Amino acid sequence: MIASIEAEARATASYTGRSRFSPAVMSALAKVPRHLFVPHERQDEAYVNAPLSIGWGQTISEPYIVALMTDLLELDARSNVLEIGCGSGYQVAVLSLLARQVYSVEVVEELADAAREKLQRLGYPNVEVITGDGYHGCPEHAPFDGIIVTAAAPKVPPPLLDQLKPGGRMVIPVGLPFRDQELKLLTKGEDGIIDSRSVLPVAFVPFRHSE
Ligand code: SAH
C-alpha cells in the first residue's frame, strides 16, 4: 500500500506540486491498521490503494487521498484539528498520530457510534467523535490549525472558514455529487484573508446538509 501511494504521488505531482509526502505522514499511514477499519468481508482488500464501501452508502477513502489530504494540512504535534466526515474513523486515526487533538464530526449516527467505539478500543486517546451535521463545524473547540472535509460540498461551508485559525489550512473537495469535484486547499492568512487553490480532480461521496 505504501509503495502504491508513493507511485501515485509521483504520477500526480504535476497537479499537486508534491511528488512525495512527508516521512511523518507516510509513517502514520504505515502504522494505522487499515484492516480494522474496513468491513470483515473486504479484509483481503484492506491494503489495496483503493476506496472501499463501509455501508450506509459511504466509503473509506483511497489511502493515497488520505495521505495527500493529510500532507496538505502540514500538521505538527501542537495542532488542533477538525475532520468533517468521520466514516470508518481511519482518517482520524492517521491524523491523531500527527496532531495534538482531533475532533471528527459524522452525520450518520451508526457510523459515528462504531468509529467512536473502535478508536477508543484501539487506543487513540486524542480523538473525539461527535455526532451531527458538520456544516456547523465544532465552534466549542475552535479555532483549528487544520480542517479536513471528506465529503464533497457544492460550496465551502462558511462556519468552517470562520473556525480556521489565521495561518491555518483547510482541505475540502468542492463540487457536485459524484462529478466535477476539485480538491481545494484553503489557507487563511494572518490578516484573515483566504487563499484558495485547486489541487486535484476527485470523486467523493456528497456532503449532506439541509438548510
Ligand atoms: N474520513 C472517512 C471517509 C468517510 S466518507 C474515513 O476515513 O473512513 C464521508 C463521510 O462523510 C461519510 O461517513 C458521510 O456520512 C459523512 N458526511 C456527509 N455529510 C456530512 C455532514 N454534513 N456532516 C458530517 N458528516 C458528513
Side-chain angles (χ1 to χ4, degrees), residues 83-98:
E83 179 189 36
I84 308 300
C86 185
S88 68
Y90 177 71
Q91 170 78 71
V92 76
V94 170
L95 294 169
S96 78
L97 300 182
L98 299 160

Side-chain angles (χ1 to χ4, degrees), residues 58-59 83 85-88 91 106-108 133-134 150 207-208:
Q58 306 304 330
T59 55
E83 179 189 36
C86 185
S88 68
Q91 170 78 71
E106 171 57 53
V107 72
V108 176
D133 180 355
T150 66
F207 188 91
R208 289 169 36 179

Side-chain angles (χ1 to χ4, degrees), residues 7-109:
E8 197 168 347
R10 286 193 295 276
T12 51
S14 62
Y15 287 99
T16 64
R18 308 181 167 213
S19 58
R20 54 196 296 275
F21 304 139
S22 89
V25 168
M26 293 310 291
S27 149
L29 267 285
K31 276 192 198 133
V32 176
R34 192 168 185 262
H35 66 282
L36 301 180
F37 293 86
V38 308
H40 294 298
E41 61 278 15
R42 309 298 294 270
Q43 287 298 300
D44 51 339
E45 295 159 85
Y47 295 97
V48 175
N49 186 26
L52 286 175
S53 167
I54 53 169
W56 288 275
Q58 306 304 330
T59 55
I60 175 172
S61 304
E62 175 189 340
Y64 156 77
I65 288 288
V66 173
L68 171 64
M69 293 175 83
T70 307
D71 198 65
L72 288 167
L73 289 175
E74 297 184 0
L75 303 175
D76 66 36
R78 290 162 303 178
S79 302
N80 184 37
V81 182
L82 174 66
E83 179 189 36
I84 308 300
C86 185
S88 68
Y90 177 71
Q91 170 78 71
V92 76
V94 170
L95 294 169
S96 78
L97 300 182
L98 299 160
R100 177 175 56 80
Q101 179 68 38
V102 194
Y103 299 93
S104 184
V105 184
E106 171 57 53
V107 72
V108 176
E109 193 175 352

